[in-house]
Amino acid sequence: MKDNVMKNIRIIKYKDGSFHETEDTVATEYALTIHVNGEEFATMVCTPTYLEDLVTGFLASEGVIRFPREIESLSIDEDRGFAYVQLVNKAPVTNQLQSKRFIGSCCGKSRQFYFQSDVKNAKTIVTKSTIEVEQCIKLMEAMQESSDDFHSTGGLHNAALCTNEELLISRSDIGRHNALDKIYGYCLENKITLSDKVIAFSGRISSEVLLKVSKIGAGIILSKSAPTTLALELANDLGITAVGFIRGTRLNVYTHPERIK
C-alpha cells in the first residue's frame, strides 16, 4: 500500500508572527474490518503495516485463537480495508463476551476489572530474568532512535521486543495496543520464547497495555511514560515488572523490583 505509514500534505504554519505555506508529514489512519468465519468480528483503526501480524496478535489477545495453526487462512484486502480469517474451528465466533466484566475468584482485587477474554488469556509471569538499570536506559534510547516514522510524524506509538542487550523487532502504530498486537502476532508466528524478553514501549502503561504484555508473556515492561494505578495492581498480581519515566539517566521501578539490578 502506497503511503501506508504517512503522507505529506500542504499546511499553513504560523511562526514568528506570520503565516506561511509549507509541507507537513502526517500519520496515516486506516480502518481494518476483520471477518472471522464469514462474520464481522471487529473494526480496528490502525497504521496499515504488518497487518497479518496485527490480526494474528489481536485474535490471540482476544482469546479467539491460541496458536497460529488454528488459522486455516488469512487474507488482507488492503484497498477495501478488510481482513478475512477462516479458522480450523468453524464454530461461530461471538464477541459479546468482550464487553462484559468478569469478577474472578483469584487473589488480587484488580482481577475484578478483567474482561472475560482477559480472565482466559492473561498469564501470570514466573521468571528469574533480571536486567540492569543501564540496560533499561539503553533499550529505551535504542527504541526511540529507531523510530523514524515517529520522528517524521509525531503521531505514532512505538513498541519493541528486546533482549537485555538489543532490540529484536520494533513496531509502530497510531494505536498503542496495535503496536503490541503486531509484536504478539510476530512472536506467535515465529515461535519466539518470551519469558526472558523485555517489552520497551513509548506510551503510558495503562491496564489494557499491561494485560497485553501479560498475554504476550514478557515479564518486564519499560516505558518512557507513566503507569496508572490499575495497571500497577495488575502488574503486582501478574508478576510483571513495570518500569516507567525512563528519561535520560532516570527511571522509576513500580512493581517487582527484584528484577532490576
Side-chain angles (χ1 to χ4, degrees), residues 6 85 101 112 118 134 142 148 158 184 204 209 213 223:
M6 63 193 80
V85 181
R101 293 296 185 185
Q112 65 185 295
D118 296 331
E134 189 62 29
D148 294 336
N158 304 303
Y184 193 12
R204 183 179 71 254
V209 166
V213 173
S223 175

Side-chain angles (χ1 to χ4, degrees), residues 2-223:
K2 294 182 179 179
D3 300 321
N4 58 349
V5 176
M6 63 193 80
K7 291 183 179 180
N8 292 328
I9 63 170
R10 301 299 295 177
I11 67 166
I12 302 298
K13 178 176 283 189
Y14 180 81
K15 185 178 179 180
D16 298 330
S18 63
F19 292 100
H20 63 280
E21 187 175 350
T22 185
E23 195 170 76
D24 194 18
T25 304
V26 179
T28 299
E29 189 170 10
Y30 174 85
L32 178 69
T33 299
I34 302 172
H35 289 259
V36 179
N37 289 347
E39 296 184 358
E40 184 175 323
F41 181 72
T43 296
M44 311 176 71
V45 179
C46 62
T47 299
T49 57
Y50 302 99
L51 292 179
E52 291 85 357
D53 288 345
L54 172 62
V55 172
T56 299
F58 174 72
L59 292 179
S61 182
E62 294 300 309
V64 177
I65 64 169
R66 292 185 64 194
F67 306 102
R69 64 173 178 268
E70 297 173 49
I71 297 176
E72 185 177 275
S73 65
L74 193 168
S75 61
I76 307 290
D77 184 340
E78 291 189 357
D79 292 333
R80 297 176 61 205
F82 290 105
Y84 299 101
V85 181
Q86 288 293 326
L87 302 180
V88 174
N89 181 358
K90 303 302 182 183
V93 176
T94 176
N95 59 1
Q96 289 181 335
L97 297 182
Q98 296 172 17
S99 63
K100 296 181 180 179
R101 293 296 185 185
F102 182 84
I103 299 177
S105 60
C106 49
C107 298
K109 292 182 179 179
S110 59
R111 295 295 176 98
Q112 65 185 295
F113 292 96
Y114 281 24
F115 289 113
Q116 289 198 24
S117 60
D118 296 331
V119 172
K120 187 168 63 173
N121 300 302
K123 305 182 185 83
T124 298
I125 308 302
V126 180
T127 178
K128 294 182 179 180
S129 295
T130 62
I131 187 170
E132 296 179 5
V133 167
E134 189 62 29
Q135 291 174 319
C136 294
I137 293 168
K138 288 183 177 179
L139 289 176
M140 186 57 58
E141 290 174 349
M143 184 193 69
Q144 292 180 273
E145 290 171 1
S146 69
S147 304
D148 294 336
D149 295 338
F150 171 78
H151 293 307
S152 297
T153 67
L156 298 173
H157 290 281
N158 304 303
L161 181 72
C162 316
T163 66
N164 284 19
E165 301 293 338
E166 62 180 346
L167 272 61
L168 299 177
I169 61 167
S170 181
R171 297 290 183 261
S172 298
D173 201 281
I174 59 170
R176 57 184 184 271
H177 309 125
N178 298 339
L180 290 168
D181 280 335
K182 289 176 180 179
I183 286 178
Y184 193 12
Y186 178 91
C187 291
L188 289 171
E189 292 284 356
N190 292 277
K191 299 179 180 178
I192 294 175
T193 300
L194 290 158
S195 60
D196 61 343
K197 301 300 188 296
V198 176
I199 297 290
F201 190 62
S202 64
R204 183 179 71 254
I205 305 176
S206 66
S207 59
E208 294 167 307
V209 166
L210 196 284
L211 285 169
K212 290 277 188 186
V213 173
S214 165
K215 293 171 185 179
I216 290 170
I220 300 172
I221 178 170
L222 311 176
S223 175

